[in-house]
Amino acid sequence: MQLIPFALILSVSVAAAQAVAPRSEPQTQGQTQPQTQPQTESVTEPQTQPVTEPQTQPVPGPATGLADTAGLRATVFGTPPEGMAPFPAKVPLSEINIELPWRLPVPEILWFDSKLRVWLSAQDKPAPLAIVISGTGSDGNTKTISVLRAALYGAGYHVLTMPSPTFSGFIVSASSTGVAGDLVQDGHDLYRAMQAILEHLPRRVHITHIDVVGYSLGGANAAVVKSIDSVEGKLKIERAVMINPPVGLFASLGRLDRLFAASIGPGDQAVELLYRRLYAQIANLYRASDRLELDENFLYGAAAAALKTDADFSAAIALTFRLQLIDMFFIGDLYAKTGVIADPTHPPRVADSLADIQRDLRARPFADYFTGVFAPYYLNRRPDETSASLIAANRLDIIGDALRSDGNYYAQTTRNDLILNQREFAWLQETMGSRLVVYDHGGHLGEVGERQQVADMLDMLAGRWPRSSP
């Protein structure tokens, strides 16, 4: 997550608080690391009966999961510069835009997402290809992606970076359902997209073998993609590395809903109050400084000044995750035609204001997406399923046998990751055994880019893990 998403919250809070009237809205939403999300939507399929909440087996423990005070701060700030691994001074980067034949009809308002956008950093000689999948709601060129790209390219890999299947651009251009969040379905969509992309790579790119890497939700996606490939064999993926993966997708998101409610409060008014409080602090800092623009150094200082307590950091983290999921909720509602957010008979058009919809979405927990969009859509197409079975199908347990028996799956996590509880952490340890490395610090993704994390990842991809004792 790191500071950059919080920079997004700071900038949004500035926009929200600049209005004199009590109601205002941000014009953009954020991704997981450093980018922003376009406001989106889409169109397809019918609705069904109401379903129960996604709180299956319980989400025991605190809303912050395993995170302690240090974990919350590491989640926001990430690795300090002095702890970062050495990276190449320059990494070549080209953008690839590809139209996929199975894409669903693109709503008028989403014309800009009709093609899947990915990024390639190619070596000038034959090399292995590392495909990196982004985290929840993020595109394929985030700050975390840029760190992993530099590490992998510097180690001699071609690097192809892809958006999360929960990112608006992927949902519109590459999803076969329009309703994201199902690990297996999203895995198949990613797998098909990877094949199409590889067929269109420049002829000068010679690939010796393929590995997959993912962080946060992208870690779980990477493992599922490898499990699909182990059956279909079209890419012959050798190894997969999961960085801070969730064990139970809906359990982790339910925990973040609780964190939002506890640290910010219910309803959009609570979000507005948070924006205004942050804006007041940032404005005072800005007036007291001699800076002419809000650059990254200023935002680091602003974050350090604005976020002081565990409750402050919890609020920033919870709001970042909420903003990352807004587009997925909106687009899923439009494709599934469930009518939770928008009237399916009169979907928003290019000239329409989305301000009210945006305020509505900011106040809605992920549980509303599950009960109002996700479960109705999939239960209507999978008559033998239940709400509980849908939740169970979105746990890493679904590929548990492969994770235990195949020595080419690896994982990295921390002892204070807020998306895990103790039971899930123990499951990862039992399942992955010596192919799991656990860092004592970092929170959620705060260890990414550290010297040890990068060295471990590269050893895992090279098949040198677990390391032999000296």
Side-chain angles (χ1 to χ4, degrees):
M1 181 157 151
Q2 304 176 13
L3 169 71
I4 292 302
F6 178 69
L8 172 68
I9 292 176
L10 296 185
S11 61
V12 167
S13 70
V14 169
Q18 279 174 336
V20 176
R23 276 173 51 130
S24 58
E25 67 277 346
Q27 295 301 310
T28 56
Q29 278 113 250
Q31 272 35 270
T32 351
Q33 298 338 189
Q35 71 278 353
T36 59
Q37 293 172 288
Q39 305 173 97
T40 53
E41 53 231 47
S42 318
V43 90
T44 303
E45 281 46 272
Q47 66 189 64
T48 58
Q49 73 281 357
V51 291
T52 56
E53 297 258 331
Q55 303 287 58
T56 112
Q57 317 157 330
V59 186
T64 50
L66 298 178
D68 51 14
T69 295
L72 294 172
R73 283 152 178 76
T75 299
V76 172
F77 289 114
T79 301
E82 63 272 16
M84 295 291 283
F87 298 129
K90 186 176 182 180
V91 177
L93 186 63
S94 58
E95 181 178 315
I96 298 173
N97 293 276
I98 181 170
E99 188 165 337
L100 301 172
W102 62 86
R103 184 197 69 198
L104 297 173
V106 178
E108 172 192 327
I109 199 168
L110 294 176
W111 58 270
F112 50 83
D113 275 335
S114 63
K115 293 182 179 181
L116 177 63
R117 183 171 59 170
V118 300
W119 284 264
L120 175 69
S121 296
Q123 303 283 346
D124 57 5
K125 59 187 177 183
L129 172 68
I131 302 176
V132 186
I133 305 171
S134 197
T136 310
S138 300
D139 79 0
N141 199 26
T142 67
K143 184 174 177 67
T144 298
I145 284 279
S146 68
V147 169
L148 296 174
R149 176 191 293 129
L152 291 161
Y153 184 83
Y157 286 83
H158 303 299
V159 186
L160 177 68
T161 61
M162 298 187 64
S164 166
T166 60
F167 174 64
S168 58
F170 187 96
I171 299 170
V172 176
S173 65
S175 172
S176 56
T177 65
V179 180
D182 183 83
L183 277 179
V184 173
Q185 182 61 60
D186 290 350
H188 281 287
D189 288 338
L190 280 164
Y191 189 59
R192 289 170 58 180
M194 289 174 183
Q195 294 169 61
I197 294 163
L198 294 186
E199 289 174 2
H200 289 82
L201 288 184
R203 299 179 71 176
R204 63 181 173 80
V205 180
H206 297 287
I207 298 170
T208 57
H209 72 265
I210 298 173
D211 297 320
V212 288
V213 177
Y215 67 88
S216 194
L217 176 57
N221 294 139
V224 170
V225 165
K226 176 171 165 53
S227 73
I228 292 170
D229 186 64
S230 69
V231 175
E232 299 192 16
K234 294 175 181 175
L235 297 181
K236 296 180 171 53
I237 294 170
E238 287 201 12
R239 299 183 179 92
V241 175
M242 302 180 284
I243 302 172
N244 291 96
V247 169
L249 173 58
F250 293 137
S252 291
L253 291 171
R255 201 172 292 122
L256 289 163
D257 277 350
R258 289 169 50 206
L259 185 63
F260 188 97
S263 61
I264 298 175
D268 186 65
Q269 185 178 7
V271 177
E272 291 285 351
L273 290 172
L274 175 62
Y275 282 161
R276 291 175 182 283
R277 180 170 65 83
L278 291 173
Y279 172 74
Q281 292 171 296
I282 297 162
N284 288 335
L285 285 169
Y286 183 72
R287 280 194 293 267
S289 75
D290 56 1
R291 296 184 180 274
L292 298 178
E293 59 182 32
L294 299 181
D295 61 13
E296 186 169 327
N297 289 331
F298 175 82
L299 290 172
Y300 268 103
L307 304 181
K308 297 181 181 299
T309 67
D310 285 0
D312 292 338
F313 281 91
S314 295
I317 292 165
L319 183 56
T320 298
F321 273 98
R322 177 67 59 88
L323 294 176
Q324 288 163 358
L325 293 169
I326 280 179
D327 283 353
M328 182 179 75
F329 196 155
F330 186 29
I331 294 172
D333 179 57
L334 288 167
Y335 272 110
K337 296 185 177 178
T338 40
V340 177
I341 302 299
D343 182 351
T345 62
H346 297 93
R349 305 190 66 177
V350 170
D352 295 340
S353 171
L354 300 180
D356 289 341
I357 287 175
Q358 195 171 41
R359 274 190 288 268
D360 183 15
L361 284 165
R362 284 191 320 205
R364 286 182 177 270
F366 180 81
D368 285 5
Y369 175 74
F370 181 89
T371 58
V373 176
F374 183 90
Y377 178 87
Y378 284 105
L379 291 176
N380 190 50
R381 286 154 183 76
R382 303 172 185 173
D384 295 333
E385 296 272 15
T386 64
S387 294
S389 67
L390 287 177
I391 292 165
N394 280 280
R395 291 179 52 84
L396 279 181
D397 304 61
I398 61 173
I399 56 169
D401 289 344
L403 294 177
R404 290 184 184 91
S405 61
D406 187 339
N408 288 317
Y409 290 91
Y410 301 89
Q412 300 177 326
T413 193
T414 67
R415 294 190 185 279
N416 56 3
D417 192 337
L418 62 91
I419 71 165
L420 299 177
N421 64 16
Q422 193 58 53
R423 185 181 61 203
E424 293 163 338
F425 179 75
W427 185 90
L428 269 179
Q429 289 181 304
E430 181 274 326
T431 301
M432 300 301 297
S434 62
R435 290 173 288 111
L436 169 71
V437 61
V438 179
Y439 304 105
D440 289 332
H441 60 278
H444 187 62
L445 302 176
E447 82 285 8
V448 173
E450 277 191 346
R451 292 183 182 85
Q452 192 62 56
Q453 181 271 324
V454 169
D456 294 343
M457 176 183 70
L458 295 177
D459 279 349
M460 289 171 171
L461 290 173
R464 300 189 294 263
W465 191 275
R467 299 190 186 96
S468 302
S469 301

